[in-house]
Amino acid sequence: MDLIALNIWLDNIFVVLYMLVLLFLVVHFVAGILKGRFRMKFLEHKWPEHDHSVPVLPKTLHATHMTSMVILGATGMYIRFPYFYGGRTTMRYIHYTFMIIVCVILVWRIWYAFYSKARDWREFAVTRKDLNSALGVLAYYGYFSNKKPHVAKYNVMQKLSYQLFLVMMVLMAITGFSLVTKDFIFGYSPRDLIVGWWLGAMVGSVDLAGWYARILHYILNWGFIIMTTVHVYLSATEDVPCTLDFFGIKKMEIKGGHGHDEEAHEPARPEPPSPEPVLGS
Ligand code: HEM
Ligand code: HEM
């Protein structure tokens, strides 16, 4: 298959896939109404109890990261499908600016997670307890059960998707820099240095290697669009007080009082027996 046909296939496949994802989320939302979860949360305000709040720095990094990703997505899509006339140079410069910002934020977040005083990488590590809770978490999201296991600050699906976000971000940066063809590094371009010398040798030309990197960058772009849509849907439906707190809009009430230090992966206290369906956080 030639590259043009491959690119057209990718456009079609991802548009259809995205529609299916949206449809799935609509069905999931309607099921939430039918199962009474919507009423319980949005009308009776029975949200999960919270035993942690995220510190200010990761919140700020996330907000900057989120804004940069939205801008990168919009400008990247414009580079591929110029959806209004005359913005090519500007949109490229915006993409180039935010790609630097997002990389700085990424490095900063990784530093915070592993090397800062408040390092929180353990909150994202999948433990045996998390794995044991996976079926329960899936059953909760699939409406087979109203009880969500609470074994850590983030549930196993959150942890896995945050880890996937990280891997995708790194791949996005590598494939993205492989598209820069200006030779400003001792006469070489980032494309020469990242893919040119090995992939270029394998496929026959540096240009072609750049095209493969572009295709991967584009596939990842859709990966982000899909994952971020699901992430936003869950943020908007699962635990709104937590989301409002996370964006600094309204402080949520912290009950139970345990923080999220390294070992604190147990719920603050045993959940009281309740006649209502119980929602873990
Ligand atoms: C992480 C750092 C990133 C870097 C270094 C980067 C770099 C680049 C570069 C150099 C281009 C080519 C621009 C041109 O042709 O002049 C590009 C295109 C593009 N970028 Fe990025 N980018 C990054 C992140 C993102 C993100 C997060 C998204 C989407 C969520 C994205 C979506 C796109 C798309 C859709 C294109 C057009 C691809 C095509 O023409 O097929 N980029 N990017
Ligand atoms: C576009 C709108 C977005 C919204 C509304 C949103 C919302 C949220 C919320 C509410 C949380 C807190 C979850 C909790 O504490 O229980 C969160 C955490 C997180 N989100 Fe997002 N998010 C967005 C975009 C993104 C994007 C684009 C990425 C990655 C590429 C991302 C990655 C993460 C990660 C890694 C966390 C874990 C907490 C942390 O970073 O400190 N989010 N998000």
Side-chain angles (χ1 to χ4, degrees), residues 62 65-66 109 154 158 162 165 228 231-232 235 242 246:
H62 177 276
H65 182 86
M66 178 189 96
R109 187 64 180 88
Y154 298 123
Q158 278 178 297
Y162 297 157
F165 265 140
T228 306
H231 182 62
V232 171
S235 311
C242 175
F246 193 67

Side-chain angles (χ1 to χ4, degrees), residues 69 73 76 80 92 95-96 99 172-173 176 179 214 217 221:
M69 293 296 285
R80 189 173 179 100
R92 271 190 156 152
H95 201 82
Y96 281 43
M99 78 192 195
M172 203 68 186
L179 303 183
R214 188 178 280 273
H217 196 70
N221 158 74

Side-chain angles (χ1 to χ4, degrees), residues 27-48 135-149 155 233-234 236-241 276-280:
V27 171
H28 191 269
F29 186 70
V30 173
I33 296 176
L34 298 177
K35 288 275 183 178
R37 216 176 265 181
F38 179 86
R39 175 179 46 77
M40 193 165 66
K41 290 180 172 181
F42 285 90
L43 305 179
E44 296 168 8
H45 302 288
K46 287 183 187 149
W47 298 102
L135 277 181
V137 174
L138 283 174
Y140 170 80
Y141 283 121
Y143 297 110
F144 295 106
S145 147
N146 259 336
K147 178 153 173 36
K148 183 159 60 164
N155 70 55
Y233 167 76
L234 290 172
T237 54
E238 202 42 44
D239 190 350
V240 171
E276 299 286 340
V278 181
L279 295 171

